[in-house]
């Protein structure tokens, strides 16, 4: 398919026009006019670009792209190295940030809930990015944290009473520790995000709502892969998901 057709389809699928984001969503770096092989990954790092070139891809689709609000606009250093590789290889780069977090089926939050076996039942934040759901049966925080770690293949940091029984869950992938207070107000037993900040510990202890920091990268692997699989099936494209390890 044509690159422009792909961008327009994804803009519509992910409802890009609904979001005021921290970066441009859609086509960020123009490459070949025809798309046949898409590589998906969490972040458009140099390692992902190299892997995509080695795989023979013409298009890279990521959650974390470039040109973030308030970043240095000069094409130097890290940005120069990345753009130079993309342009030399004539590879398209498409990125979708908040729209990918939000999508009800293919999004990061939807896919994380699916992976963890949480049945979604609502949203708790004003921007609708925070999700709530329930576990099939209550379990101690210690057991649930171990389950999260086993699914994500990364040991999470769990803050709370290990013996606390949890069933209602709030979550928002990535760096969404700022949603914790809203999750507490929503009445969940435990909140999951990717990162944790110093005040989070105190809020967890004082509110009685446990907090699980499961990794920014680890919690956001599944949405972009799901979008790639969707595109491959719908348009008969080749798709390769490449996970560049990231401990954060």
């Amino acid at each position: 398919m044509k690159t422009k057709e792909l961008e327009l389809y994804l803009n519509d699928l992910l409802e890009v026009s609904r979001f005021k984001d921290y970066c441009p969503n859609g086509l960020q770096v123009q490459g070949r006019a025809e798309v046949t092989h898409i590589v998906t990954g969490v972040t458009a790092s140099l390692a992902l670009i190299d892997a995509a070139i080695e795989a023979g891809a013409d298009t890279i689709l990521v959650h974390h792209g470039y040109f973030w609000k308030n970043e240095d606009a000069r094409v130097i250093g890290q940005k120069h190295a990345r753009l130079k590789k993309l342009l030399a290889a004539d590879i398209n780069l498409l990125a979708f940030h908040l729209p990918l977090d939000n999508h009800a089926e293919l999004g990061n939050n939807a896919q994380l809930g699916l992976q963890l076996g949480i049945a979604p039942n609502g949203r708790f934040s004003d921007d609708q990015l925070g999700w709530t759901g329930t576990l099939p049966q209550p379990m101690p925080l210690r057991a649930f944290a171990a389950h999260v770690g086993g699914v994500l293949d990364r040991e999470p940091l769990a803050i709370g009473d290990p013996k606390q029984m949890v069933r209602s869950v709030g979550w928002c992938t990535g760096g969404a520790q700022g949603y914790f207070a809203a999750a507490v107000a929503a009445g969940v037993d435990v909140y999951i995000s990717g990162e944790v900040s110093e005040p989070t510990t105190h809020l967890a202890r004082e509110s009685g709502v446990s907090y699980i920091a499961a990794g920014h990268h680890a919690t956001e692997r599944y949405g972009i892969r799901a979008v790639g699989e969707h595109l491959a099936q719908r348009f008969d494209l080749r798709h390769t998901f490449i996970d560049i390890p990231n401990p954060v």
Side-chain angles (χ1 to χ4, degrees), residues 11 17 19 27 37 64 68 96 99 104-105 143 153 161 165 228 248:
N11 285 348
S17 62
F19 296 89
L27 184 64
H37 182 187
H64 301 137
W68 297 92
F96 295 90
E105 295 179 12
D153 193 26
D161 181 355
M165 298 301 291
V248 174

Side-chain angles (χ1 to χ4, degrees), residues 22 30 48 75-76 132 160 194 210 216:
Y22 312 103
Q30 182 178 335
L48 182 66
V75 182
I76 59 175
T132 59
S210 299
H216 193 135

Side-chain angles (χ1 to χ4, degrees), residues 89-114:
D90 203 22
I91 292 179
N92 298 294
L93 174 66
L94 293 100
F96 295 90
H97 186 234
L98 295 182
L100 182 63
D101 290 322
N102 178 77
H103 195 271
E105 295 179 12
L106 303 175
N108 284 325
N109 287 313
Q111 289 293 311
L112 181 62
L114 183 65

